[in-house]
Amino acid sequence: MKKKILHNLLWAVALTLHIALSAQYLAFLRLRASQEFNITGYIVASAIFPISFGILLRLPALVERWKNGAGFNLVQFIVQGLPAFFFAGLFGFAYYILPVLKLGLPLPIGLTSQSQSVIALGGVWFGMVLADSVKGLRRTDE
Protein backbone atom coordinates (compact mmCIF):
# COMPACT_ATOMS: atom_id res chain seq x y z
CA MET A 1 0.00 0.00 0.00
CA LYS A 2 2.76 2.45 0.94
CA LYS A 3 4.68 1.51 -2.18
CA LYS A 4 1.64 2.26 -4.38
CA ILE A 5 1.10 5.64 -2.67
CA LEU A 6 4.76 6.54 -3.12
CA HIS A 7 4.64 5.44 -6.75
CA ASN A 8 1.56 7.61 -7.43
CA LEU A 9 3.08 10.56 -5.58
CA LEU A 10 6.31 10.36 -7.60
CA TRP A 11 4.31 10.08 -10.80
CA ALA A 12 2.28 13.18 -9.84
CA VAL A 13 5.55 15.06 -9.26
CA ALA A 14 6.84 13.95 -12.66
CA LEU A 15 3.64 15.12 -14.41
CA THR A 16 3.75 18.44 -12.54
CA LEU A 17 7.36 18.95 -13.58
CA HIS A 18 6.46 18.18 -17.18
CA ILE A 19 3.70 20.80 -17.12
CA ALA A 20 5.87 23.43 -15.41
CA LEU A 21 8.91 22.91 -17.62
CA SER A 22 6.80 22.77 -20.79
CA ALA A 23 5.05 26.02 -19.91
CA GLN A 24 8.36 27.70 -19.13
CA TYR A 25 9.92 26.51 -22.38
CA LEU A 26 6.86 27.56 -24.40
CA ALA A 27 7.04 31.04 -22.84
CA PHE A 28 10.71 31.22 -23.85
CA LEU A 29 9.87 30.10 -27.39
CA ARG A 30 7.05 32.62 -27.63
CA LEU A 31 9.41 35.43 -26.59
CA ARG A 32 12.05 34.26 -29.02
CA ALA A 33 9.49 33.97 -31.81
CA SER A 34 8.35 37.56 -31.22
CA GLN A 35 11.94 38.77 -31.39
CA GLU A 36 12.96 36.80 -34.47
CA PHE A 37 9.58 36.76 -36.25
CA ASN A 38 9.86 32.99 -36.67
CA ILE A 39 7.14 30.93 -34.99
CA THR A 40 8.19 27.51 -36.27
CA GLY A 41 9.80 26.37 -33.02
CA TYR A 42 6.82 27.52 -31.00
CA ILE A 43 4.36 25.71 -33.27
CA VAL A 44 6.34 22.46 -33.13
CA ALA A 45 6.70 22.60 -29.34
CA SER A 46 3.01 23.46 -28.96
CA ALA A 47 2.18 20.29 -30.86
CA ILE A 48 4.70 18.00 -29.15
CA PHE A 49 4.14 18.93 -25.50
CA PRO A 50 0.45 17.90 -25.30
CA ILE A 51 1.20 14.60 -27.06
CA SER A 52 4.09 13.86 -24.71
CA PHE A 53 1.87 14.72 -21.73
CA GLY A 54 -0.78 12.28 -22.97
CA ILE A 55 1.86 9.58 -23.32
CA LEU A 56 3.12 10.32 -19.80
CA LEU A 57 -0.42 10.00 -18.44
CA ARG A 58 -0.68 6.45 -19.79
CA LEU A 59 2.93 5.41 -19.25
CA PRO A 60 2.36 3.62 -15.91
CA ALA A 61 -0.31 1.41 -17.50
CA LEU A 62 2.00 0.72 -20.45
CA VAL A 63 4.80 -0.33 -18.10
CA GLU A 64 2.43 -2.66 -16.23
CA ARG A 65 1.22 -4.42 -19.37
CA TRP A 66 4.61 -4.46 -21.13
CA LYS A 67 5.24 -8.10 -20.13
CA ASN A 68 1.75 -9.26 -21.10
CA GLY A 69 1.11 -7.23 -24.21
CA ALA A 70 1.80 -8.31 -27.74
CA GLY A 71 2.06 -5.81 -30.53
CA PHE A 72 0.21 -2.70 -31.57
CA ASN A 73 -3.56 -2.30 -31.33
CA LEU A 74 -4.14 -0.88 -34.80
CA VAL A 75 -7.95 -0.85 -34.47
CA GLN A 76 -7.82 1.34 -31.37
CA PHE A 77 -5.29 3.63 -33.02
CA ILE A 78 -7.43 4.05 -36.14
CA VAL A 79 -10.74 4.46 -34.31
CA GLN A 80 -9.49 6.89 -31.64
CA GLY A 81 -6.03 8.10 -32.62
CA LEU A 82 -6.66 9.28 -36.15
CA PRO A 83 -9.71 11.39 -35.18
CA ALA A 84 -7.72 12.92 -32.31
CA PHE A 85 -4.82 13.69 -34.63
CA PHE A 86 -7.17 15.11 -37.27
CA PHE A 87 -9.03 17.16 -34.65
CA ALA A 88 -5.84 18.68 -33.23
CA GLY A 89 -4.34 19.09 -36.69
CA LEU A 90 -7.39 20.84 -38.13
CA PHE A 91 -7.49 23.38 -35.33
CA GLY A 92 -3.71 23.74 -35.40
CA PHE A 93 -3.78 24.43 -39.11
CA ALA A 94 -6.58 26.96 -38.71
CA TYR A 95 -4.93 28.70 -35.78
CA TYR A 96 -1.27 28.78 -36.81
CA ILE A 97 -0.98 28.32 -40.56
CA LEU A 98 -3.98 30.07 -42.15
CA PRO A 99 -3.17 33.52 -40.70
CA VAL A 100 0.41 33.18 -41.99
CA LEU A 101 -0.79 32.27 -45.50
CA LYS A 102 -3.05 35.37 -45.56
CA LEU A 103 -5.58 33.73 -47.84
CA GLY A 104 -8.39 35.87 -46.53
CA LEU A 105 -10.54 32.87 -45.69
CA PRO A 106 -13.35 33.66 -43.28
CA LEU A 107 -13.05 31.46 -40.20
CA PRO A 108 -15.83 30.89 -37.70
CA ILE A 109 -15.14 32.62 -34.39
CA GLY A 110 -15.52 29.35 -32.49
CA LEU A 111 -12.82 27.76 -34.60
CA THR A 112 -10.18 30.32 -33.72
CA SER A 113 -11.14 31.64 -30.29
CA GLN A 114 -10.57 28.34 -28.49
CA SER A 115 -8.07 26.78 -30.87
CA GLN A 116 -5.12 26.60 -28.45
CA SER A 117 -7.25 24.71 -25.92
CA VAL A 118 -8.60 22.36 -28.57
CA ILE A 119 -5.12 21.73 -29.96
CA ALA A 120 -3.82 20.90 -26.49
CA LEU A 121 -6.74 18.60 -25.66
CA GLY A 122 -6.51 16.86 -29.01
CA GLY A 123 -2.78 16.38 -28.50
CA VAL A 124 -3.27 14.89 -25.04
CA TRP A 125 -5.98 12.60 -26.42
CA PHE A 126 -3.70 11.48 -29.26
CA GLY A 127 -0.79 10.86 -26.86
CA MET A 128 -2.97 8.76 -24.56
CA VAL A 129 -4.30 6.69 -27.46
CA LEU A 130 -0.79 6.23 -28.82
CA ALA A 131 0.47 4.92 -25.46
CA ASP A 132 -2.60 2.70 -25.07
CA SER A 133 -2.16 1.26 -28.57
CA VAL A 134 1.44 0.14 -27.94
CA LYS A 135 1.40 -3.36 -26.48
CA GLY A 136 -2.36 -2.95 -26.47
CA LEU A 137 -3.30 -6.48 -27.44
CA ARG A 138 -3.46 -9.05 -24.72
CA ARG A 139 -2.52 -12.58 -25.70
CA THR A 140 -6.18 -13.59 -25.24
CA ASP A 141 -7.31 -10.90 -27.75
CA GLU A 142 -5.38 -12.27 -30.71
Side-chain angles (χ1 to χ4, degrees):
M1 180 70 169
K2 288 182 182 181
K3 184 177 180 181
K4 185 79 169 169
I5 292 172
L6 181 64
H7 180 264
N8 286 333
L9 182 62
L10 289 174
W11 200 248
V13 169
L15 290 172
T16 304
L17 281 173
H18 182 273
I19 292 171
L21 293 175
S22 297
Q24 192 173 26
Y25 189 62
L26 281 173
F28 165 74
L29 287 176
R30 182 179 291 171
L31 177 65
R32 188 170 149 204
S34 68
Q35 293 169 345
E36 298 177 1
F37 302 107
N38 184 2
I39 62 169
T40 306
Y42 179 75
I43 292 173
V44 171
S46 295
I48 290 174
F49 286 142
I51 294 171
S52 65
F53 184 71
I55 291 171
L56 280 176
L57 282 174
R58 295 291 195 191
L59 195 59
L62 176 62
V63 169
E64 285 181 12
R65 71 175 180 268
W66 192 260
K67 299 174 226 160
N68 301 333
F72 187 80
N73 191 343
L74 188 60
V75 172
Q76 180 181 9
F77 183 75
I78 290 172
V79 170
Q80 291 185 13
L82 292 182
F85 186 75
F86 176 74
F87 195 60
L90 172 70
F91 279 85
F93 180 77
Y95 187 76
Y96 291 117
I97 306 302
L98 286 181
V100 173
L101 295 177
K102 298 179 182 172
L103 297 176
L105 297 174
L107 296 173
I109 290 293
L111 185 64
T112 57
S113 65
Q114 298 298 322
S115 287
Q116 284 184 316
S117 300
V118 172
I119 294 165
L121 290 172
V124 170
W125 180 23
F126 180 72
M128 292 172 74
V129 170
L130 185 62
D132 283 345
S133 297
V134 173
K135 295 282 189 173
L137 292 176
R138 293 183 201 97
R139 296 194 191 286
T140 58
D141 292 342
E142 293 178 337

PDB file of all heavy atoms in Angstrom, residues 7-27:
ATOM      1  N   HIS A   7       4.568   5.492  -5.295  1.00  0.00           N
ATOM      2  CA  HIS A   7       4.638   5.445  -6.752  1.00  0.00           C
ATOM      3  C   HIS A   7       3.740   6.510  -7.372  1.00  0.00           C
ATOM      4  O   HIS A   7       4.147   7.239  -8.284  1.00  0.00           O
ATOM      5  CB  HIS A   7       4.238   4.046  -7.234  1.00  0.00           C
ATOM      6  CG  HIS A   7       4.266   3.891  -8.716  1.00  0.00           C
ATOM      7  ND1 HIS A   7       3.127   4.033  -9.479  1.00  0.00           N
ATOM      8  CD2 HIS A   7       5.272   3.628  -9.580  1.00  0.00           C
ATOM      9  CE1 HIS A   7       3.435   3.857 -10.750  1.00  0.00           C
ATOM     10  NE2 HIS A   7       4.726   3.610 -10.840  1.00  0.00           N
ATOM     11  N   ASN A   8       2.502   6.614  -6.903  1.00  0.00           N
ATOM     12  CA  ASN A   8       1.565   7.612  -7.425  1.00  0.00           C
ATOM     13  C   ASN A   8       2.025   9.035  -7.118  1.00  0.00           C
ATOM     14  O   ASN A   8       1.861   9.929  -7.949  1.00  0.00           O
ATOM     15  CB  ASN A   8       0.163   7.379  -6.869  1.00  0.00           C
ATOM     16  CG  ASN A   8      -0.507   6.178  -7.503  1.00  0.00           C
ATOM     17  OD1 ASN A   8      -0.201   5.817  -8.630  1.00  0.00           O
ATOM     18  ND2 ASN A   8      -1.409   5.556  -6.771  1.00  0.00           N
ATOM     19  N   LEU A   9       2.587   9.237  -5.948  1.00  0.00           N
ATOM     20  CA  LEU A   9       3.085  10.562  -5.576  1.00  0.00           C
ATOM     21  C   LEU A   9       4.258  10.972  -6.475  1.00  0.00           C
ATOM     22  O   LEU A   9       4.301  12.099  -6.971  1.00  0.00           O
ATOM     23  CB  LEU A   9       3.513  10.583  -4.113  1.00  0.00           C
ATOM     24  CG  LEU A   9       4.001  11.921  -3.577  1.00  0.00           C
ATOM     25  CD1 LEU A   9       2.901  12.962  -3.650  1.00  0.00           C
ATOM     26  CD2 LEU A   9       4.495  11.769  -2.155  1.00  0.00           C
ATOM     27  N   LEU A  10       5.184  10.063  -6.714  1.00  0.00           N
ATOM     28  CA  LEU A  10       6.306  10.363  -7.599  1.00  0.00           C
ATOM     29  C   LEU A  10       5.830  10.620  -9.027  1.00  0.00           C
ATOM     30  O   LEU A  10       6.371  11.492  -9.716  1.00  0.00           O
ATOM     31  CB  LEU A  10       7.329   9.225  -7.567  1.00  0.00           C
ATOM     32  CG  LEU A  10       8.138   9.085  -6.287  1.00  0.00           C
ATOM     33  CD1 LEU A  10       9.000   7.835  -6.328  1.00  0.00           C
ATOM     34  CD2 LEU A  10       8.997  10.318  -6.057  1.00  0.00           C
ATOM     35  N   TRP A  11       4.830   9.872  -9.459  1.00  0.00           N
ATOM     36  CA  TRP A  11       4.311  10.077 -10.802  1.00  0.00           C
ATOM     37  C   TRP A  11       3.621  11.443 -10.906  1.00  0.00           C
ATOM     38  O   TRP A  11       3.734  12.129 -11.924  1.00  0.00           O
ATOM     39  CB  TRP A  11       3.354   8.955 -11.186  1.00  0.00           C
ATOM     40  CG  TRP A  11       3.203   8.895 -12.652  1.00  0.00           C
ATOM     41  CD1 TRP A  11       2.096   9.197 -13.377  1.00  0.00           C
ATOM     42  CD2 TRP A  11       4.215   8.579 -13.606  1.00  0.00           C
ATOM     43  NE1 TRP A  11       2.358   9.068 -14.710  1.00  0.00           N
ATOM     44  CE2 TRP A  11       3.660   8.691 -14.877  1.00  0.00           C
ATOM     45  CE3 TRP A  11       5.558   8.196 -13.502  1.00  0.00           C
ATOM     46  CZ2 TRP A  11       4.366   8.444 -16.040  1.00  0.00           C
ATOM     47  CZ3 TRP A  11       6.263   7.959 -14.652  1.00  0.00           C
ATOM     48  CH2 TRP A  11       5.671   8.080 -15.906  1.00  0.00           C
ATOM     49  N   ALA A  12       2.911  11.853  -9.860  1.00  0.00           N
ATOM     50  CA  ALA A  12       2.283  13.184  -9.843  1.00  0.00           C
ATOM     51  C   ALA A  12       3.337  14.281  -9.899  1.00  0.00           C
ATOM     52  O   ALA A  12       3.153  15.297 -10.584  1.00  0.00           O
ATOM     53  CB  ALA A  12       1.413  13.337  -8.601  1.00  0.00           C
ATOM     54  N   VAL A  13       4.457  14.082  -9.213  1.00  0.00           N
ATOM     55  CA  VAL A  13       5.552  15.057  -9.257  1.00  0.00           C
ATOM     56  C   VAL A  13       6.133  15.121 -10.672  1.00  0.00           C
ATOM     57  O   VAL A  13       6.405  16.210 -11.197  1.00  0.00           O
ATOM     58  CB  VAL A  13       6.644  14.708  -8.213  1.00  0.00           C
ATOM     59  CG1 VAL A  13       7.898  15.526  -8.425  1.00  0.00           C
ATOM     60  CG2 VAL A  13       6.104  14.913  -6.805  1.00  0.00           C
ATOM     61  N   ALA A  14       6.298  13.977 -11.302  1.00  0.00           N
ATOM     62  CA  ALA A  14       6.838  13.953 -12.664  1.00  0.00           C
ATOM     63  C   ALA A  14       5.902  14.665 -13.646  1.00  0.00           C
ATOM     64  O   ALA A  14       6.353  15.442 -14.496  1.00  0.00           O
ATOM     65  CB  ALA A  14       7.065  12.510 -13.117  1.00  0.00           C
ATOM     66  N   LEU A  15       4.600  14.445 -13.539  1.00  0.00           N
ATOM     67  CA  LEU A  15       3.641  15.119 -14.413  1.00  0.00           C
ATOM     68  C   LEU A  15       3.623  16.624 -14.162  1.00  0.00           C
ATOM     69  O   LEU A  15       3.550  17.422 -15.106  1.00  0.00           O
ATOM     70  CB  LEU A  15       2.247  14.527 -14.219  1.00  0.00           C
ATOM     71  CG  LEU A  15       2.054  13.112 -14.732  1.00  0.00           C
ATOM     72  CD1 LEU A  15       0.699  12.563 -14.312  1.00  0.00           C
ATOM     73  CD2 LEU A  15       2.207  13.047 -16.229  1.00  0.00           C
ATOM     74  N   THR A  16       3.710  17.012 -12.890  1.00  0.00           N
ATOM     75  CA  THR A  16       3.747  18.437 -12.544  1.00  0.00           C
ATOM     76  C   THR A  16       4.995  19.104 -13.106  1.00  0.00           C
ATOM     77  O   THR A  16       4.928  20.214 -13.642  1.00  0.00           O
ATOM     78  CB  THR A  16       3.681  18.614 -11.015  1.00  0.00           C
ATOM     79  OG1 THR A  16       2.504  17.960 -10.523  1.00  0.00           O
ATOM     80  CG2 THR A  16       3.652  20.075 -10.629  1.00  0.00           C
ATOM     81  N   LEU A  17       6.130  18.416 -13.002  1.00  0.00           N
ATOM     82  CA  LEU A  17       7.360  18.955 -13.583  1.00  0.00           C
ATOM     83  C   LEU A  17       7.253  19.090 -15.096  1.00  0.00           C
ATOM     84  O   LEU A  17       7.732  20.069 -15.679  1.00  0.00           O
ATOM     85  CB  LEU A  17       8.552  18.060 -13.220  1.00  0.00           C
ATOM     86  CG  LEU A  17       9.124  18.238 -11.828  1.00  0.00           C
ATOM     87  CD1 LEU A  17      10.177  17.176 -11.541  1.00  0.00           C
ATOM     88  CD2 LEU A  17       9.728  19.630 -11.685  1.00  0.00           C
ATOM     89  N   HIS A  18       6.637  18.108 -15.731  1.00  0.00           N
ATOM     90  CA  HIS A  18       6.459  18.177 -17.180  1.00  0.00           C
ATOM     91  C   HIS A  18       5.630  19.408 -17.555  1.00  0.00           C
ATOM     92  O   HIS A  18       5.976  20.137 -18.490  1.00  0.00           O
ATOM     93  CB  HIS A  18       5.791  16.905 -17.702  1.00  0.00           C
ATOM     94  CG  HIS A  18       5.633  16.889 -19.186  1.00  0.00           C
ATOM     95  ND1 HIS A  18       4.544  17.437 -19.815  1.00  0.00           N
ATOM     96  CD2 HIS A  18       6.431  16.406 -20.170  1.00  0.00           C
ATOM     97  CE1 HIS A  18       4.673  17.293 -21.122  1.00  0.00           C
ATOM     98  NE2 HIS A  18       5.812  16.667 -21.363  1.00  0.00           N
ATOM     99  N   ILE A  19       4.550  19.644 -16.837  1.00  0.00           N
ATOM    100  CA  ILE A  19       3.702  20.799 -17.123  1.00  0.00           C
ATOM    101  C   ILE A  19       4.467  22.095 -16.897  1.00  0.00           C
ATOM    102  O   ILE A  19       4.448  23.005 -17.735  1.00  0.00           O
ATOM    103  CB  ILE A  19       2.417  20.766 -16.268  1.00  0.00           C
ATOM    104  CG1 ILE A  19       1.521  19.607 -16.705  1.00  0.00           C
ATOM    105  CG2 ILE A  19       1.666  22.089 -16.369  1.00  0.00           C
ATOM    106  CD1 ILE A  19       0.349  19.363 -15.784  1.00  0.00           C
ATOM    107  N   ALA A  20       5.151  22.198 -15.753  1.00  0.00           N
ATOM    108  CA  ALA A  20       5.867  23.434 -15.414  1.00  0.00           C
ATOM    109  C   ALA A  20       6.999  23.719 -16.399  1.00  0.00           C
ATOM    110  O   ALA A  20       7.141  24.850 -16.879  1.00  0.00           O
ATOM    111  CB  ALA A  20       6.403  23.343 -13.991  1.00  0.00           C
ATOM    112  N   LEU A  21       7.791  22.708 -16.708  1.00  0.00           N
ATOM    113  CA  LEU A  21       8.909  22.914 -17.624  1.00  0.00           C
ATOM    114  C   LEU A  21       8.429  23.180 -19.048  1.00  0.00           C
ATOM    115  O   LEU A  21       9.022  23.992 -19.771  1.00  0.00           O
ATOM    116  CB  LEU A  21       9.853  21.711 -17.583  1.00  0.00           C
ATOM    117  CG  LEU A  21      10.590  21.510 -16.260  1.00  0.00           C
ATOM    118  CD1 LEU A  21      11.394  20.218 -16.282  1.00  0.00           C
ATOM    119  CD2 LEU A  21      11.468  22.699 -15.931  1.00  0.00           C
ATOM    120  N   SER A  22       7.361  22.520 -19.455  1.00  0.00           N
ATOM    121  CA  SER A  22       6.804  22.770 -20.789  1.00  0.00           C
ATOM    122  C   SER A  22       6.289  24.202 -20.898  1.00  0.00           C
ATOM    123  O   SER A  22       6.531  24.882 -21.903  1.00  0.00           O
ATOM    124  CB  SER A  22       5.662  21.798 -21.086  1.00  0.00           C
ATOM    125  OG  SER A  22       6.122  20.471 -21.107  1.00  0.00           O
ATOM    126  N   ALA A  23       5.574  24.654 -19.881  1.00  0.00           N
ATOM    127  CA  ALA A  23       5.048  26.023 -19.906  1.00  0.00           C
ATOM    128  C   ALA A  23       6.182  27.045 -19.934  1.00  0.00           C
ATOM    129  O   ALA A  23       6.112  28.042 -20.661  1.00  0.00           O
ATOM    130  CB  ALA A  23       4.149  26.254 -18.698  1.00  0.00           C
ATOM    131  N   GLN A  24       7.215  26.777 -19.162  1.00  0.00           N
ATOM    132  CA  GLN A  24       8.360  27.701 -19.134  1.00  0.00           C
ATOM    133  C   GLN A  24       9.064  27.725 -20.491  1.00  0.00           C
ATOM    134  O   GLN A  24       9.422  28.797 -20.995  1.00  0.00           O
ATOM    135  CB  GLN A  24       9.327  27.280 -18.031  1.00  0.00           C
ATOM    136  CG  GLN A  24      10.382  28.288 -17.719  1.00  0.00           C
ATOM    137  CD  GLN A  24      11.193  27.876 -16.495  1.00  0.00           C
ATOM    138  OE1 GLN A  24      11.303  26.695 -16.177  1.00  0.00           O
ATOM    139  NE2 GLN A  24      11.758  28.851 -15.823  1.00  0.00           N
ATOM    140  N   TYR A  25       9.255  26.569 -21.085  1.00  0.00           N
ATOM    141  CA  TYR A  25       9.919  26.510 -22.378  1.00  0.00           C
ATOM    142  C   TYR A  25       9.057  27.151 -23.475  1.00  0.00           C
ATOM    143  O   TYR A  25       9.573  27.833 -24.357  1.00  0.00           O
ATOM    144  CB  TYR A  25      10.269  25.067 -22.728  1.00  0.00           C
ATOM    145  CG  TYR A  25      11.149  24.942 -23.942  1.00  0.00           C
ATOM    146  CD1 TYR A  25      12.421  25.499 -23.959  1.00  0.00           C
ATOM    147  CD2 TYR A  25      10.703  24.296 -25.081  1.00  0.00           C
ATOM    148  CE1 TYR A  25      13.234  25.398 -25.081  1.00  0.00           C
ATOM    149  CE2 TYR A  25      11.502  24.184 -26.200  1.00  0.00           C
ATOM    150  CZ  TYR A  25      12.764  24.742 -26.195  1.00  0.00           C
ATOM    151  OH  TYR A  25      13.555  24.648 -27.301  1.00  0.00           O
ATOM    152  N   LEU A  26       7.736  26.937 -23.416  1.00  0.00           N
ATOM    153  CA  LEU A  26       6.857  27.560 -24.400  1.00  0.00           C
ATOM    154  C   LEU A  26       6.870  29.084 -24.267  1.00  0.00           C
ATOM    155  O   LEU A  26       6.816  29.797 -25.277  1.00  0.00           O
ATOM    156  CB  LEU A  26       5.430  27.031 -24.263  1.00  0.00           C
ATOM    157  CG  LEU A  26       5.171  25.671 -24.879  1.00  0.00           C
ATOM    158  CD1 LEU A  26       3.775  25.184 -24.531  1.00  0.00           C
ATOM    159  CD2 LEU A  26       5.359  25.710 -26.379  1.00  0.00           C
ATOM    160  N   ALA A  27       6.941  29.593 -23.046  1.00  0.00           N
ATOM    161  CA  ALA A  27       7.038  31.044 -22.839  1.00  0.00           C
ATOM    162  C   ALA A  27       8.344  31.573 -23.441  1.00  0.00           C
ATOM    163  O   ALA A  27       8.354  32.635 -24.082  1.00  0.00           O
ATOM    164  CB  ALA A  27       6.955  31.380 -21.356  1.00  0.00           C
TER     165      ALA A  27
END
